[in-house]
Amino acid sequence: TYIVLLGPPGAGKGTQATQIVQTFGLAHVSTGDLFRENLRNQTELGQLAASYMNAGKLVPDDVTIAMVRERITRPDCAQGVLFDGFPRTVAQADALSAMLAELSGKVDCVPYISVPAEVLVERLSGRISCPTCGRVYHVTNNPPKQPGVCDADGTPLIQREDDKPETVRKRIEEYLKNTAPLIDYYRERQLLVEIDGTQSIEVVSQQILNAIRKVK
Ligand code: AP5
Ligand code: ZN
């Protein structure tokens, strides 16, 4: 099973991903997380990606596609994959279907978490996340049990470099220009399931899980 989680920056993709992959036994492939992991390990790819990410721009398609192509051949992807933050352009979406065809697979479902722009800014400015396990919190909407530390592993939570207000605005602009066309792309292919992302985290989860169950 291959699922594409679609939605603007701050819609809640990372928040929902943990439960989806646990429920269905999928590998979590987040291109944003992969770029940040490369940056922490100071690889060339990480340094290249950071120059785009910190400006709120998309990393070039060829670089992103090559990284995903390698990632999905690893053994943990054999039961299926949840793609989070990929594809983000029509070129990436076309490349993804070609890659999955080689594995005799296809995109099975595209839950689209829809959230208006004004809500996104508030969510991203209050976001804190765990550099160890990737869990995502919000200072008021979804605080950790103990302020500033991860519930799962006790790691001090951090704010992302690209969550500064001016970078957030640029990321939303890039989304509207390059990624929003994928809503119609997947709707035309009858894969899109639109979910109102302004509902509670629990309700959004239930609706995504139900959508995926229908195609499993
Ligand atoms: P990436 O890491 O993918 O960031 P993003 O898409 O901008 O998404 P976010 O992680 O910011 O948001 P999210 O939807 O996961 O929301 P979250 O769950 O955290 O990409 C970063 C950068 O990498 C890009 O800008 C680009 O440069 C590069 N990149 C990555 N992939 C690429 C690609 N394919 N091609 C090219 N470049 C690429 O939630 C946000 C906040 O809201 C949290 O605080 C959370 O607690 C809260 N929240 C979540 N749900 C709810 C709810 N229902 N109610 C209230 N609060 C909620
Ligand atoms: Zn953690």
Side-chain angles (χ1 to χ4, degrees):
T1 311
Y2 297 102
I3 308 294
V4 167
L5 198 53
L6 189 64
K13 302 183 296 295
T15 299
Q16 298 295 337
T18 317
Q19 198 179 359
I20 301 170
V21 298
Q22 280 170 3
T23 305
F24 299 106
L26 305 173
H28 180 199
V29 173
S30 157
T31 41
D33 286 350
L34 289 170
F35 289 136
R36 283 183 290 274
E37 190 185 306
N38 271 279
L39 184 63
R40 274 197 305 280
N41 298 332
Q42 303 192 345
T43 70
E44 225 169 280
L45 172 64
Q47 260 135 36
L48 174 80
S51 67
Y52 292 93
M53 293 169 82
N54 292 339
K57 294 186 194 159
L58 293 183
V59 178
D61 283 336
D62 55 344
V63 176
T64 307
I65 292 165
M67 178 177 73
V68 172
R69 184 187 297 284
E70 187 280 321
R71 177 67 186 85
I72 63 173
T73 59
R74 292 194 219 159
D76 66 313
C77 293
Q79 296 308 309
V81 177
L82 175 73
F83 294 99
D84 163 3
F86 180 89
R88 258 178 152 92
T89 62
V90 170
Q92 291 181 16
D94 287 339
L96 177 62
S97 29
M99 282 187 251
L100 296 182
E102 279 171 38
L103 302 170
S104 311
K106 58 173 178 47
V107 173
D108 294 298
C109 180
V110 181
Y112 160 50
I113 310 178
S114 143
V115 175
E118 57 281 10
V119 179
L120 301 174
V121 179
E122 188 272 325
R123 285 199 187 171
L124 293 174
S125 57
R127 167 166 65 184
I128 40 180
S129 51
C130 175
T132 304
C133 71
R135 273 187 180 69
V136 181
Y137 303 86
H138 188 280
V139 286
T140 48
N141 300 344
N142 182 25
K145 294 201 181 75
Q146 250 193 74
V149 300
C150 179
D151 294 347
D153 48 38
T155 308
L157 300 170
I158 54 167
Q159 182 161 39
R160 257 167 58 174
E161 194 64 45
D162 59 347
D163 281 346
K164 292 190 296 244
E166 61 285 11
T167 318
V168 165
R169 273 192 293 276
K170 179 69 186 161
R171 285 163 60 201
I172 295 172
E173 241 172 67
E174 286 276 285
Y175 169 82
L176 292 173
K177 185 163 126 229
N178 297 302
T179 311
L182 294 181
I183 299 166
D184 278 338
Y185 179 101
Y186 284 118
R187 191 182 278 133
E188 281 161 16
R189 287 160 179 76
Q190 280 157 26
L191 294 169
L192 197 83
V193 181
E194 181 163 355
I195 288 154
D196 174 2
T198 63
Q199 306 173 97
S200 72
I201 292 173
E202 293 71 27
V203 171
V204 172
S205 287
Q206 276 319 312
Q207 296 185 350
I208 295 176
L209 297 180
N210 285 339
I212 298 174
R213 275 190 199 106
K214 290 195 183 138
V215 301
K216 272 286 277 184

